[in-house]
Amino acid sequence: MFHIGQLTVNVEIVDKKEFSIIVKQPQVPLVEIKSPKPNTSYAEGQLIYLIGDAFDKEDGQLPDSSISWQSSIDGLIGSGYELTTNKLAPGTHTITFKATDSANNSSEATVGITIIPSQPVVNSTSLQDNETILQGESINLSA
């Protein structure tokens, strides 16, 4: 079965009696995310290891430049089979690992993770260490 589009076929006739044409459909790379695991939660600022694997039947092992990682919140994270990041914003992310072969065929895998916001640090701008305040007094705080 052929799909609408362009098809180029090279034919070599070896014998005048018969010949055959074999058309091979281009294959997309096979991809797998090894890390992070689905539905994992990380604290904001925590180091996250992104590890993926990709193989293409025509090209074999693809170069790092053909591999990309994206976040549904932060956009492009980087390229290559292995990355680390601690820069993801709080929220629920869909992380996409994408591989593109030399014929521009691509495939991707996704995993969902959650970045939990860190607790704010509250500092007093008007109190000294061990200073006592009375009920009803105002103090200045910053986060």
Side-chain angles (χ1 to χ4, degrees), residues 3 10 14 21 27 33 36 48 56 74 84 89 93 97 105 112 138:
H3 299 283
N10 294 323
V14 179
I21 298 174
Q27 299 292 312
I33 295 176
I48 301 169
D56 186 70
D74 295 312
T84 57
H93 294 251
F97 175 73
N105 298 308
S138 295

Side-chain angles (χ1 to χ4, degrees), residues 2-15:
F2 294 101
H3 299 283
I4 295 173
Q6 183 177 5
L7 177 65
T8 302
V9 178
N10 294 323
V11 178
E12 179 181 341
I13 300 174
V14 179
D15 168 313

Side-chain angles (χ1 to χ4, degrees), residues 8-53:
T8 302
V9 178
N10 294 323
V11 178
E12 179 181 341
I13 300 174
V14 179
D15 168 313
K16 292 182 181 180
K17 294 180 183 174
E18 59 182 82
F19 69 93
S20 60
I21 298 174
I22 299 172
V23 178
K24 291 185 178 180
Q25 187 90 13
Q27 299 292 312
V28 297
L30 303 172
V31 296
E32 175 187 14
I33 295 176
K34 295 184 174 187
S35 176
K37 296 296 182 200
N39 304 313
T40 304
S41 293
Y42 298 91
E44 183 178 6
Q46 183 177 351
L47 194 61
I48 301 169
Y49 293 90
L50 304 173
I51 303 170
D53 194 18

